[in-house]
């Protein structure tokens, strides 16, 4: 879940985007217009389970897409968001891709890709080694 502000209207509320998962781990991208930001920002929380109703479905055709799903959910003013307890929904879902595939991709603008790195920091010790 992330929010962003319009560069043209720095005084306006930010818009919000999020990726949601269903019980099978399928992901879909959701968008909340800045005019509806104040309605949903206090309700939505990462790691929580919600049921959504009364939203709009639209083609997921923007240049950089956070999911491979062909559709996206657009929140409306009267979209219903209900918190739910005790439903077995995964907290995260991953599609791992071999680095070679990413580097050789012809359509590098198709999906947002993140790289994970493991970093081990070893503090200096006062012992001397022979």
């Amino acid at each position: 879940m992330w929010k962003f502000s319009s560069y043209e209207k720095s005084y306006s509320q930010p818009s919000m985007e999020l990726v949601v998962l269903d019980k099978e781990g399928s992901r879909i991208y959701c968008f909340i217009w800045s005019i509806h930001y104040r309605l949903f920002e206090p309700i939505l929380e990462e790691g929580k389970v919600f049921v959504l109703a009364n939203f709009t479905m639209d083609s997921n055709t923007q240049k950089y897409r956070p999911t491979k799903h062909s559709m996206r959910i657009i929140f409306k003013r009267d979209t219903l968001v209900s918190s739910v307890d005790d439903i077995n929904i995964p907290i995260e879902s991953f599609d791992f891709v071999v680095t070679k595939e990413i580097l050789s991709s012809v359509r590098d603008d198709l999906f947002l890709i993140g790289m994970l790195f493991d970093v081990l920091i070893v503090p200096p010790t006062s012992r001397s080694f022979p």
Side-chain angles (χ1 to χ4, degrees), residues 31-45:
F31 181 78
I32 301 170
W33 292 103
S34 61
I35 57 173
H36 304 312
Y37 175 81
R38 286 187 183 201
L39 297 172
F40 298 106
E41 193 271 336
I43 300 169
L44 297 171
E45 185 178 340

Side-chain angles (χ1 to χ4, degrees), residues 45-110:
E45 185 178 340
E46 287 189 62
K48 300 289 183 177
V49 179
F50 298 95
V51 173
L52 302 177
N54 199 26
F55 49 83
T56 300
M57 294 294 293
D58 189 22
S59 295
N60 192 8
T61 58
Q62 58 275 14
K63 185 168 181 168
Y64 296 103
R65 300 180 348 192
T67 69
K68 293 180 181 179
H69 202 290
S70 64
M71 301 298 286
R72 65 180 177 157
I73 293 173
I74 308 273
F75 282 55
K76 303 186 306 183
R77 178 177 173 74
D78 54 349
T79 295
L80 302 174
V81 179
S82 303
S83 180
V84 179
D85 293 325
D86 299 325
I87 291 189
N88 191 18
I89 302 284
I91 294 175
E92 64 256 332
S93 173
F94 300 99
D95 287 329
F96 293 104
V97 178
V98 179
T99 305
K100 185 188 262 185
E101 285 183 40
I102 296 169
L103 297 176
S104 66
S105 177
V106 176
R107 293 279 321 268
D108 63 349
D109 65 340
L110 194 53

